[in-house]
Amino acid sequence: MDIIPFITVVVSMLVPSFQASMVVDSILQSNSSVSDSMRIVSKGGSFELGFFSPGNSGKHYLGIWYKNIPIQTVVWVANRVNPINDSSGTATLTLNTTGSLVLTQNGTLVWYSTPLKQVQNPVAELLDSGNLVVRDEKDDDPEAYLWQSFDYPSDTMLPEMKLGYDLRTGLNRRLTSWKTPEDPSPGDFSLTLTHRNYPEFCIMKEETEFFRNGPWNGVGFSGSPELKQNYVFDYEFVSTRNETYYRYTLKNSSVITRYMINRTQQAMIRYVWLKGEENWKMYTKKPSDYCDQYKLCGRNGKCIITESPPCQCLKGFVPSSPQKWNSVDWSDGCVRNKPLNCSEKKTDKFIKLEGLKVPETTHSWLDETMNLAQCREKCLENCSCTAYTNSDIRGAGSGCVLWFGDLIDIRSYASGGQDLYVRMPASEFESGNNKKLIMIVAITTAVILCMLFVGGCVINKVCRKRIEKSKNANVEIQNNERDYIDLPLFDLPTIEQATENFAEKNKIGQGGFGPVYWGKLLNGQEIAVKKLSRISELGLIEFKNEVKFIVKLQHRNLVKLLGYCIQEQEKLLVYEYMPNGSLDSFIFDETKKKLLDWFKRFHIIMGTARGLLYLHQDSRLRIIHRDLKASNILLDDKLIPKISDFGLAKNFGEEEIQGNTRRIMGTYGYMAPEYAADGLYSVKSDVFSYGILVLEIISGKKNRGFYVEDSKHNLIGHAWILWKEGRILELIDKNIEGTCNVSEILRCIHVSLLCVQQHPEDRPTIASAVWMLGSEVELPEPKQPGFFHGMDSVEPHTSSSQKQPSSINEVTMTLLEPR
Ligand SMILES: *[C@@H]1O[C@H](CO)[C@@H](O)[C@H](O)[C@H]1NC(C)=O
Ligand SMILES: *[C@@H]1O[C@H](CO)[C@@H](O)[C@H](O)[C@H]1NC(C)=O
Ligand SMILES: *[C@@H]1O[C@H](CO)[C@@H](O)[C@H](O)[C@H]1NC(C)=O
Ligand SMILES: *[C@@H]1O[C@H](CO)[C@@H](O)[C@H](O)[C@H]1NC(C)=O
Ligand SMILES: *[C@@H]1O[C@H](CO)[C@@H](O)[C@H](O)[C@H]1NC(C)=O
Ligand SMILES: *[C@@H]1O[C@H](CO)[C@@H](O)[C@H](O)[C@H]1NC(C)=O
Ligand SMILES: *[C@@H]1O[C@H](CO)[C@@H](O)[C@H](O)[C@H]1NC(C)=O
Ligand SMILES: *[C@@H]1O[C@H](CO)[C@@H](O)[C@H](O)[C@H]1NC(C)=O
Ligand SMILES: *[C@@H]1O[C@H](CO)[C@@H](O)[C@H](O)[C@H]1NC(C)=O
């Protein structure tokens, strides 16, 4: 009786297993035997269990893969180490009466699972989570599973799976890579939670550390500040007396995501399945840069990715082998400038270092109940304690972790890092202060010398003007009576010479109110000259006043106005020349858009926001741009975005509201609803345009003239539909897929949807948009955006028959368009 199989599944290995066939219920509970190729499908149809043969290996494995994904993606393998080598005979999976799953071929044992205890009526079930469990027929409490495949992961971590250890059973669930893409047997690459006082996840390569994800700090892992609140999954790290594990769960079960370790890529990677594209998209990858390389900078060194070379000694330390260090071999690391002396331990002090990934925790000590002050005392007591900090950085911080000996594998982050208090002998502190003092004296001297030197350049008129201007900047802003003479004034012959008499070949753009020319001054400086033909009726005084006003607006993300020129009927504005032209010439051009990876686009998104923020509030004069669009974002040689045409809108724009026709500035496709319809503008209408711009940068498509088959929607409408259907990743320009950080992109899309809300009061200010883009705060859900409906309603003033994607249609009412 004992020996009678509870359920038997027979698979003919002659049938290529993926052409199948017969589907068995998710629950195995009857003495059934299937003679053809067999699959067990989970109840909701998400996962499938069966045999597969990777690549051309000719070997067969029992595994679990996604049922609804056309690319075979195996998430778990039973007989990893013992493949079925030939397809003759039959393989049989049996759940025997003591609750073991037993895989045999021709009666020979291939693999089996070990249940922990005896049971009455075991059943095996493939759950919709991808977990194959053996449980008592009447008990489906997860805590009571007799056995589960989630406890024996292969290379993939699925949602709800725990990664880490269970101290009650001694089980350590870790991910182990496949040996090769054709061989699922355990490779030498694994992700494991190390047993340490302050535990941390590490990637091990051949038993040695390869990458350290760092300990959990209450918010995330110290080595992965990019793990943040996101739209796809929630995550938690649980540490109790019984078990310590990391787990993530889906926010919306219709999203498919997996986290896996891959030996070929030498990384742990999160993928998200893109339903529209039928493909896996990389979401995050770790290690992600040079500084993630384990112990790159040796002991007591830190890695700063933006520095060259990236390694530096911690404060108070010097290279232990200066020669090696200077020949960029940092492996020996750093030693103390002044050694600690144990008999003076009580007088030691601590230097606070900020923004770090904390050191390796092999030699650490943890007490979650202590506060920072107690932690410091604790560290002072023991002279081999070299550093301390809070173990949990939530709120004001809590808990205590101490390090002993050398501090290893530290890196510095631009944002999101932690504080670390490093022990120093009191003497180091004193000399440190002296050094600081000397530095201050040195800097002051340098500044004075520099000023003297600058003073010497008075022969240069421009230079003098600059100095005066910066001296008087604050006064000037309020002084309307100020003489315009000290503005950079170019004379017409200079400009004519520079632009070769406004030669047609030098024409680089045509704004609504006049052409823009490239030019080169005699001193070699390149300029962009705007010829304001259409506003020639503007009086001389007003024109000068406007120029004075614009010239004061100076920001890294604004195009700089160099000067102006008035002569006879000509009114010219002279701008710095941007060799890379405007953003639209990149993002809407099939070839050039490839030059802008996600990293560059993100910087353009952020830079533009900062420029706009300056206009809206930091410049002290609230400037509403009124015509923000891709062609008004110019890129310098480093692809730093510079907003152009600012200031003009507010000032010259008002001049346009005259006579019977009240003309609305701006460009259809970027205009906020209240502006397009009623001519009402505010900073929030700029925010609307900014939202459109971000969507365009991410999608590489124009809002105006956007056209998808079977869709009446514009880009906003399209984005909104994708958002609602949870397919927003489909919006992303294919050209940046490989490079993008999906959580960053999702945040940008989310913020842009908030920016394009119908009602101005629902839109954030640009200040809060900047803040939202750069932080991890939970964002409000967007409502249906403005101009959600089809093209027709976007173009209240134009013919509704224009549906082709075309730039000719672009009705621009831009006054000026410098390039
Ligand atoms: C199990 O199934 C096999 C073949 O279908 C049958 O020969 C056997 O008697 C069954 N055993 C029980 C206990 O039902
Ligand atoms: C398949 O071959 C390998 C290597 O020859 C061997 O270790 C393994 O046991 C074989 N598998 C089976 C099921 O016989
Ligand atoms: C399985 O059995 C078949 C027929 O009985 C035989 O031809 C084959 O060699 C056997 N395979 C193994 C691996 O023992
Ligand atoms: C079930 O299979 C396991 C593993 O092969 C074995 O140890 C156990 O004795 C089997 N139980 C029965 C009743 O055959
Ligand atoms: C690992 O990554 C490589 C390269 O992208 C890929 O070809 C391979 O299939 C991956 N391995 C597994 C087990 O997914
Ligand atoms: C630890 O496990 C024991 C026995 O399994 C259980 O009684 C106890 O509640 C668990 N403690 C925690 C903190 O989970
Ligand atoms: C350590 O400090 C003690 C007391 O101040 C002093 O006597 C001793 O020489 C110091 N040791 C070293 C190695 O500097
Ligand atoms: C200092 O800490 C180390 C590491 O935890 C420990 O081995 C040593 O005993 C401690 N020394 C004292 C005096 O407590
Ligand atoms: C999950 O996503 C689907 C479409 O992808 C959507 O219909 C559903 O409303 C979402 N569920 C929740 C709870 O957000």
Side-chain angles (χ1 to χ4, degrees):
M1 182 63 196
D2 273 9
I3 308 151
I4 292 168
F6 193 69
I7 151 99
T8 303
V9 180
V10 179
V11 183
S12 164
M13 303 304 298
L14 292 166
V15 178
S17 63
F18 287 97
Q19 289 172 8
S21 64
M22 179 137 180
V23 164
V24 180
D25 189 40
S26 65
I27 299 184
L28 311 181
Q29 55 189 350
S30 63
N31 178 16
S32 63
S33 104
V34 186
S35 57
D36 205 345
S37 181
M38 165 298 280
R39 309 287 178 81
I40 295 174
V41 174
S42 66
K43 210 174 270 167
S46 304
F47 286 93
E48 192 166 55
L49 171 88
F51 286 90
F52 70 99
S53 180
N56 299 316
S57 65
K59 294 180 175 165
H60 296 265
Y61 299 87
L62 179 70
I64 297 173
W65 55 87
Y66 292 93
K67 168 106 175 72
N68 297 321
I69 287 183
I71 301 171
Q72 187 203 340
T73 309
V74 175
V75 296
W76 182 76
V77 185
N79 53 323
R80 286 183 89 171
V81 289
N82 197 18
I84 295 168
N85 296 317
D86 60 60
S87 48
S88 62
T90 51
T92 309
L93 179 65
T94 305
L95 179 65
N96 74 18
T97 47
T98 47
S100 266
L101 283 163
V102 180
L103 177 63
T104 55
Q105 188 201 19
N106 274 8
T108 309
L109 187 64
V110 176
W111 172 85
Y112 65 92
S113 69
T114 41
L116 299 172
K117 54 185 178 189
Q118 295 272 332
V119 275
Q120 215 52 41
N121 295 306
V123 293
E125 180 177 7
L126 178 61
L127 304 179
D128 253 335
S129 58
N131 195 4
L132 175 65
V133 305
V134 177
R135 58 176 174 84
D136 189 279
E137 193 178 13
K138 293 188 191 66
D139 191 355
D140 56 7
D141 172 14
E143 290 300 314
Y145 291 154
L146 305 167
W147 179 90
Q148 52 180 325
S149 62
F150 272 16
D151 277 345
Y152 305 89
S154 297
D155 64 345
T156 303
M157 183 186 184
L158 292 173
E160 313 204 348
M161 190 183 238
K162 293 174 177 177
L163 210 60
Y165 43 75
D166 188 329
L167 296 167
R168 293 164 297 187
T169 58
L171 201 63
N172 191 1
R173 309 175 203 90
R174 41 148 62 192
L175 301 182
T176 320
S177 72
W178 289 24
K179 224 171 213 155
T180 69
E182 293 201 350
D183 180 1
S185 61
D188 56 15
F189 212 69
S190 64
L191 175 64
T192 185
L193 183 63
T194 51
H195 281 278
R196 287 173 184 169
N197 289 330
Y198 194 28
E200 50 184 347
F201 276 103
C202 293
I203 295 183
M204 309 295 290
K205 190 179 178 185
E206 292 163 355
E207 305 303 316
T208 61
E209 246 160 281
F210 176 79
F211 165 70
R212 207 168 57 85
N213 205 25
W216 180 260
N217 58 26
V219 176
F221 295 104
S222 188
S224 282
E226 62 273 24
L227 177 70
K228 290 177 184 174
Q229 279 285 341
N230 63 75
Y231 306 87
V232 181
F233 60 92
D234 292 313
Y235 51 90
E236 60 176 347
F237 186 81
V238 174
S239 188
T240 68
R241 203 165 287 177
N242 292 339
E243 50 182 350
T244 303
Y245 63 84
Y246 168 69
R247 172 162 70 176
Y248 70 93
T249 50
L250 294 177
K251 283 207 153 125
N252 184 332
S253 61
S254 70
V255 175
I256 298 175
T257 179
R258 69 194 160 105
Y259 193 53
M260 55 115 51
I261 186 157
N262 183 312
R263 190 183 181 281
T264 320
Q265 306 205 32
Q266 306 249 315
M268 37 197 220
I269 302 168
R270 175 176 294 284
Y271 290 100
V272 175
W273 179 255
L274 292 189
K275 287 193 182 106
E277 288 174 25
E278 301 293 283
N279 212 343
W280 288 106
K281 179 174 207 129
M282 191 186 288
Y283 184 95
T284 53
K285 182 172 174 183
K286 273 284 179 179
S288 53
D289 63 25
Y290 192 40
C291 278
D292 274 344
Q293 194 174 322
Y294 176 69
K295 216 176 165 179
L296 179 71
C297 300
R299 63 200 158 122
N300 307 314
K302 68 172 174 183
C303 194
I304 311 169
I305 196 70
T306 51
E307 294 290 314
S308 180
C311 286
Q312 286 183 1
C313 288
L314 295 178
K315 255 185 217 161
F317 291 79
V318 291
S320 75
S321 329
Q323 212 147 15
K324 271 173 92 175
W325 185 272
N326 291 334
S327 56
V328 302
D329 174 357
W330 307 288
S331 54
D332 286 353
C334 309
V335 291
R336 282 183 184 278
N337 206 11
K338 298 231 168 99
L340 293 167
N341 182 341
C342 204
S343 53
E344 293 174 338
K345 66 181 179 189
K346 285 289 180 189
T347 65
D348 286 346
K349 294 203 163 68
F350 291 89
I351 292 186
K352 179 180 177 182
L353 306 179
E354 294 175 347
L356 301 184
K357 166 181 178 180
V358 299
E360 184 180 65
T361 62
T362 313
H363 304 292
S364 66
W365 178 90
L366 176 71
D367 183 332
E368 285 170 341
T369 65
M370 278 176 151
N371 65 29
L372 202 59
Q374 294 165 326
C375 197
R376 183 178 192 278
E377 285 310 306
K378 184 84 185 167
C379 188
L380 271 182
E381 274 169 24
N382 183 328
C383 63
S384 52
C385 173
T386 47
Y388 73 93
T389 196
N390 278 135
S391 56
D392 189 329
I393 62 170
R394 280 176 294 182
S398 62
C400 172
V401 53
L402 305 182
W403 279 267
F404 302 95
D406 285 328
L407 303 171
I408 287 165
D409 194 40
I410 300 174
R411 64 173 296 181
S412 169
Y413 296 112
S415 68
Q418 295 176 236
D419 297 340
L420 183 71
Y421 300 84
V422 177
R423 185 179 209 139
M424 289 290 143
S427 56
E428 174 73 41
F429 245 80
E430 285 145 23
S431 75
N433 281 341
N434 289 344
K435 259 188 215 152
K436 232 186 247 166
L437 201 68
I438 291 165
M439 284 272 279
I440 289 167
V441 171
I443 289 171
T444 314
T445 313
V447 167
I448 291 168
L449 285 175
C450 199
M451 284 165 81
L452 287 175
F453 175 77
V454 171
C457 78
V458 284
I459 340 131
N460 179 335
K461 252 160 90 183
V462 180
C463 179
R464 184 177 54 204
K465 283 171 203 153
R466 295 260 158 79
I467 291 169
E468 280 168 9
K469 243 199 283 177
S470 62
K471 219 164 50 191
N472 300 326
N474 290 340
V475 185
E476 279 179 6
I477 285 170
Q478 281 135 11
N479 184 2
N480 292 328
E481 299 301 303
R482 191 173 51 93
D483 190 1
Y484 61 87
I485 296 301
D486 69 342
L487 282 172
L489 173 66
F490 291 84
D491 61 5
L492 191 57
T494 306
I495 302 292
E496 280 172 345
Q497 185 178 43
T499 59
E500 298 172 86
N501 268 323
F502 300 103
E504 195 58 26
K505 69 169 166 106
N506 289 335
K507 193 163 145 185
I508 49 175
Q510 172 71 53
F513 289 78
V516 183
Y517 296 88
W518 170 87
K520 193 173 194 172
L521 298 175
L522 282 178
N523 67 8
Q525 183 176 16
E526 290 181 284
I527 53 174
V529 181
K530 241 182 195 187
K531 214 169 170 182
L532 305 177
S533 50
R534 294 276 300 278
I535 57 158
S536 50
E537 67 269 25
L538 196 67
L540 207 63
I541 306 293
E542 290 114 298
F543 178 72
K544 282 175 191 159
N545 278 337
E546 303 310 349
V547 173
K548 273 190 252 169
F549 166 78
I550 293 163
V551 97
K552 279 183 300 226
L553 301 171
Q554 300 224 353
H555 185 267
R556 172 183 160 87
N557 297 113
L558 299 182
V559 176
K560 195 169 182 176
L561 181 65
L562 299 175
Y564 70 106
C565 171
I566 310 176
Q567 212 144 336
E568 289 142 33
Q569 280 311 302
E570 297 289 5
K571 293 194 183 71
L572 305 170
L573 291 177
V574 180
Y575 287 92
E576 60 177 335
Y577 172 72
M578 294 290 146
N580 272 318
S582 59
L583 179 60
D584 63 333
S585 72
F586 277 85
I587 54 173
F588 303 139
D589 182 280
E590 286 312 317
T591 318
K592 279 175 84 186
K593 62 167 57 163
K594 294 192 173 66
L595 299 173
L596 293 185
D597 59 16
W598 169 243
F599 182 75
K600 296 194 183 98
R601 291 190 201 197
F602 184 63
H603 278 263
I604 291 169
I605 289 171
M606 292 303 289
T608 306
R610 283 189 211 105
L612 197 56
L613 175 63
Y614 174 82
L615 289 177
H616 281 186
Q617 67 178 52
D618 293 349
S619 67
R620 304 181 41 178
L621 303 154
R622 172 169 284 211
I623 315 288
I624 299 169
H625 189 290
R626 294 219 279 168
D627 197 15
L628 192 68
K629 57 179 171 179
S631 60
N632 271 341
I633 308 298
L634 308 187
L635 301 174
D636 76 0
D637 53 340
K638 297 193 187 79
L639 296 174
I640 292 172
K642 312 245 179 186
I643 301 176
S644 71
D645 270 9
F646 52 86
L648 296 171
K650 179 172 184 287
N651 296 284
F652 296 138
E654 265 154 10
E655 299 297 328
E656 287 297 309
I657 302 168
Q658 50 179 266
N660 298 331
T661 39
R662 206 180 79 167
R663 219 183 283 176
I664 291 175
M665 288 268 314
T667 304
Y668 291 124
Y670 290 89
M671 272 196 251
E674 74 279 6
Y675 184 25
D678 306 318
L680 296 171
Y681 66 85
S682 66
V683 285
K684 294 293 186 72
S685 23
D686 273 357
V687 168
F688 186 94
S689 309
Y690 176 73
I692 301 289
L693 181 70
V694 172
L695 287 176
E696 291 184 334
I697 293 173
I698 289 171
S699 64
K701 301 206 173 65
K702 288 187 186 184
N703 184 41
R704 200 194 142 79
F706 176 80
Y707 179 67
V708 229
E709 211 114 347
D710 303 329
S711 163
K712 289 209 291 282
H713 300 293
N714 56 3
L715 182 59
I716 307 181
H718 182 61
W720 175 241
I721 303 251
L722 291 178
W723 176 268
K724 276 203 312 191
E725 292 176 357
R727 297 159 41 207
I728 193 65
L729 293 176
E730 293 171 27
L731 186 75
I732 300 169
D733 184 351
K734 299 227 172 4
N735 295 295
I736 55 172
E737 266 173 13
T739 64
C740 75
N741 172 332
V742 178
S743 61
E744 218 163 63
I745 250 186
L746 284 174
R747 181 158 276 269
C748 287
I749 294 174
H750 194 154
V751 172
S752 66
L753 286 174
L754 293 173
C755 289
V756 298
Q757 294 291 288
Q758 170 81 29
H759 302 293
E761 59 273 20
D762 290 336
R763 297 173 208 148
T765 60
I766 193 68
S768 32
V770 168
W771 182 65
M772 287 169 175
L773 287 169
S775 71
E776 304 160 29
V777 290
E778 190 95 47
L779 302 178
E781 263 308 298
K783 301 180 208 161
Q784 177 171 305
F787 286 145
F788 159 68
H789 298 292
M791 291 294 289
D792 298 357
S793 58
V794 181
E795 300 166 306
H797 305 291
T798 57
S799 151
S800 60
S801 64
Q802 299 169 338
K803 274 196 177 145
Q804 300 82 9
S806 155
S807 58
I808 303 157
N809 286 346
E810 191 135 317
V811 177
T812 173
M813 293 187 149
T814 317
L815 176 54
L816 307 155
E817 199 152 20
R819 259 157 221 263

